[in-house]
Amino acid sequence: MGRLTTHVLDTMRGCPASGLVINLFRVDAGTGDRQALIVSTRTNDDGRCDAPLLDGDAMQKGRYQLLFKVAEYLRRSGDDLPEIPFLDDVVINFGVEDAEQHYHVPLLLSAYGYSTYRGS
């Protein structure tokens, strides 16, 4: 069975990003890239979600978007961000070709940069 998971690491502090809000959207290319919110969650103390974002029948081939509310997390963690932060929301658009596979999309985060990749 396929599934979608994520985790967030705060590379500035060298620890998991706990309490960071994540929204997952399905992107429907047939309707002008309209987005439908699938799940809204928050990372746990390990920077992970308590359950897969998608699994079972919910895991389908298609286009998706992960939206990470990073400025909110960074401010709460003590970063002195300007009124208009460099990174407010980090958006990762990605595709699921084979819904039977595990797609892991981690985020490595600091106030002025981020990185992602398809993990395992």
Side-chain angles (χ1 to χ4, degrees), residues 2 5 8-9 12 14 26 42 62 74 81 91 100 102 105 112 119:
T5 57
V8 185
L9 298 176
M12 173 71 176
R26 181 165 174 88
R42 192 176 289 267
L74 292 166
L81 300 180
V91 175
E100 295 298 314
H102 178 197
V105 185
Y112 292 95

Side-chain angles (χ1 to χ4, degrees), residues 5-41:
T5 57
T6 188
H7 75 274
V8 185
L9 298 176
D10 184 330
T11 58
M12 173 71 176
R13 291 172 184 80
C15 66
S18 150
L20 191 143
V21 173
I22 301 170
N23 295 321
L24 173 67
F25 298 89
R26 181 165 174 88
V27 180
D28 187 353
T31 58
D33 289 341
R34 187 174 64 211
Q35 300 170 345
L37 180 64
I38 297 172
V39 67
S40 183
T41 189

Side-chain angles (χ1 to χ4, degrees), residues 3-118:
R3 68 187 189 278
L4 171 65
T5 57
T6 188
H7 75 274
V8 185
L9 298 176
D10 184 330
T11 58
M12 173 71 176
R13 291 172 184 80
C15 66
S18 150
L20 191 143
V21 173
I22 301 170
N23 295 321
L24 173 67
F25 298 89
R26 181 165 174 88
V27 180
D28 187 353
T31 58
D33 289 341
R34 187 174 64 211
Q35 300 170 345
L37 180 64
I38 297 172
V39 67
S40 183
T41 189
R42 192 176 289 267
T43 56
N44 61 24
D45 289 344
D46 196 34
R48 299 177 183 277
C49 301
D50 290 331
L53 299 171
L54 292 174
D55 64 356
D57 291 340
M59 182 71 174
Q60 298 177 7
K61 180 178 178 175
R63 295 175 54 220
Y64 294 89
Q65 181 182 90
L66 278 168
L67 185 143
F68 298 85
K69 306 294 282 181
V70 301
E72 174 185 297
Y73 160 79
L74 292 166
R75 283 192 175 104
R76 194 179 66 254
S77 297
D79 285 15
D80 185 20
L81 300 180
E83 180 182 342
I84 300 173
F86 181 69
L87 295 175
D88 192 357
D89 296 336
V90 169
V91 175
I92 301 172
N93 293 301
F94 64 98
V96 170
E97 176 63 27
D98 183 353
E100 295 298 314
Q101 292 187 11
H102 178 197
Y103 286 75
H104 183 68
V105 185
L107 180 68
L108 308 177
L109 171 68
S110 74
Y112 292 95
Y114 69 90
S115 154
T116 190
Y117 55 94
R118 180 173 174 194

